[in-house]
Amino acid sequence: MPVTEPILTKRIPTFPWGDPKNRKTISVDEYIATGGYQSLEKALSMTPAEVMAMVKDANLRGRGGAGFPCGLKWTFLPPPDGGRRYLCVNCDEAEPGTFKDRLLCDYDPHLILEGIAIACHACQLDTAYFFIRGEYHHQAKVVERAIQEAYAKGIFGKQGLLRGKSPFAVDCYLHRGAGAYICGEETGLLEAIEGRRGWPRLKPPFPAVKGLFGRPTIVNNVETLAAVCPIIEHGVAWWKSLGCESTVGGAPSYGPKLMGVSGHVTRPGVYEADLGITLRTLVETHCLGMRHGKRFKGAIAGGVSMGVLGADQYDCRMDFDIGRLGDVMGLGTACPTVFDEDTDMVAVARNIARFFKNESCGQCTPCREGSGWILKLITRIERGDATTKDLDLLLEIAGSMGLTPGTTICGLADGNNWAIRTLVNKYRSEFEARVKPYAVSMSGLQLAVARV
Amino acid sequence: MSWTTKPSATTKIARRAEPYCTAAMMSRWTSELLPRYATKHAALLPILHDLQHEYRHISYQAMIEVAAFLSIKPADVMDTVTFYEEFSTEPLGKCVIGICQSIACEVCGHKKLQDHVSARLGIKPHETTADGKFTLLALECLGSCDTAPVALFNETLHENLTIANIDALIDEAAKGGGGH
Ligand SMILES: Cc1cc2nc3c(=O)[nH]c(=O)nc-3n(C[C@H](O)[C@H](O)[C@H](O)COP(=O)(O)O)c2cc1C
Ligand code: SF4
Ligand code: FES
């Protein structure tokens, strides 16, 4: 069922329900006056296991990129042993094209904090770190103020959750990153909180078992945690009435989703839509169509890591089936960057290749070296200095790096792999037009024959 | 991600008499930061943010002082400092202009902005003007793709930039000695 009223954007004016120019940061008093912290109150009237079961039944899938079922992840935690247990809130949001979590930080930070408190109750986690990327200076101030307000209202603090309504006490701290995309990867994020370089850790052990400071830890995206509040408030059946079922026998895509659209559209911005909406509807209805009436040429599916949707994929559905149906890695953050007919896709590939080369943390050879070679080859193609052989080499290098081929520690390399392969495959003629045919020189051939 | 190295055998660490980590800073770190984390090492990022903000760079001497404060090795501090793009071992300009160069900003015209600022200030990305007023950085996605192209002037984000309004911002920063 389509989303007919704003849910995550209830207090954030957003088209078609409200005008973004009326947006302002919601203070704790306004938040409470408009029904805020009632989901927490309701959650505290249930046992942690009941809350966890609700989130699991709702099939809330992670909004940070991987789409992993949130409730299932929570069940991986070992039973409490009296030691510390952590929640790490992932607000690194450095995936190019993605700007949806910022909306919640800017205008409705208490929605995230309420989700944090509910998650801490459900999972019995006593300390939450709100990890926010360093470049979000303004957002860090807004969230810090909201955390202080929440302490003042007794949400967090020694007395126990919600003024001692539950004796279980939670502390919440802001922790700022310092400019490294890789710290969005969940174990890179743990290293960054521990004060070290953001080098992802080998898994297993998974964070739920051995995470921050070696203790059980849950890492969740900002939007995932915010979505927990309406699930508790309105119930599982309501949540499942939004979004769509899988058409390929996969897991369903329930609920609303924040979708940030950028690039060549008339009205870029963050929209709240139901999972399963087509890219065409999102662009034509929400974003008022392509800019200057140009034709749609393609779109990054949801952050550059996911790869590209081609000109013939405008009707593709934005849900968790997209990986299987759209020949991209997945839905990612559901934030498409749209390209019009005048876009040079080789330049797009070069831009993305540069991003991955800059952001590779350098631990794994295929990623560190591969990202450099991919950039070199695409730069050569863009300049017109490459041959068809370089194009093949490019695909070979890209296809060999990542968790899926099993050559790296983390998924950054898969992002590079998918972005480059889908761009070359879906716009092959554009790349071919830029390369010279590969010719073996006669003398070289004779030499080779002579050697045989 | 930078891979800064220094020729350890020959480097002379510049020293100054007064410490970078002031008593006021250290007492704030002790009362506010250390209690938040299970290890002292974990307070490193917020401490480095303070120092970078205060001095516009993190000197080797400062790294040694921080290491002593946290009872960790200076090499551990340097390891972290050199990994993160926001920390700089050399002083940055009073006004740091970070223009986003990622995909949405590129397809919405970041290149002419960057070229213009570069020509106007006479520096390439990742350089600082001789008078120490401006540093130009080429940054990756700043999370504001719907208002591309965008740039950070120190801690303030400016959206929907054109050559005219980025010029005005530079004029203003130049007048105010670069600060923002
Ligand atoms: C290279 C890389 C970067 C990532 N960046 C982010 C990010 O910025 N924000 C985020 O929420 N998840 C990011 N993720 C996904 C996280 O590893 C993790 O799956 C997610 O935070 C889990 O939260 P969720 O289940 O609530 O989505 C990234 C993953 C990789 C491999
Ligand atoms: S895949 Fe790349 S980013 Fe990930 S750990 Fe390896 S080198 Fe680092
Ligand atoms: S691409 Fe420039 S802000 Fe995202």
Side-chain angles (χ1 to χ4, degrees), chain A residues 96-98, chain B residues 100-105 141-145 148 150:
Chain A
T98 304
Chain B
C100 173
Q101 59 174 346
S102 283
I103 190 64
C105 287
C141 183
L142 292 170
S144 188
C145 323
V150 300

Side-chain angles (χ1 to χ4, degrees), chain A residues 182 200 359-365 367-368 408-413:
Chain A
I182 195 58
E359 299 299 335
S360 165
C361 85
Q363 270 190 103
C364 321
T365 310
C367 174
R368 183 187 61 242
T408 61
I409 293 172
C410 94
L412 180 137

Side-chain angles (χ1 to χ4, degrees), chain A residues 129 175 196-197 351 358, chain B residues 1 36-37 79 84 106 141:
Chain A
Y129 291 103
H175 187 97
R196 286 193 277 268
R197 57 163 82 171
N351 182 295
N358 283 354
Chain B
M1 216 120 300
R36 295 182 171 196
Y37 302 102
D79 196 51
Y84 294 95
E106 172 162 340
C141 183

Side-chain angles (χ1 to χ4, degrees), chain A residues 79-111:
Chain A
D81 60 1
R84 293 240 132 153
R85 292 150 68 91
Y86 298 101
L87 175 69
C88 295
V89 184
N90 195 340
C91 189
D92 192 56
E93 192 156 72
E95 175 80 38
T98 304
F99 49 97
K100 63 181 182 69
D101 297 336
R102 200 194 68 186
L103 183 82
L104 298 174
C105 296
D106 266 334
Y107 301 110
D108 202 5
H110 284 283
L111 183 70

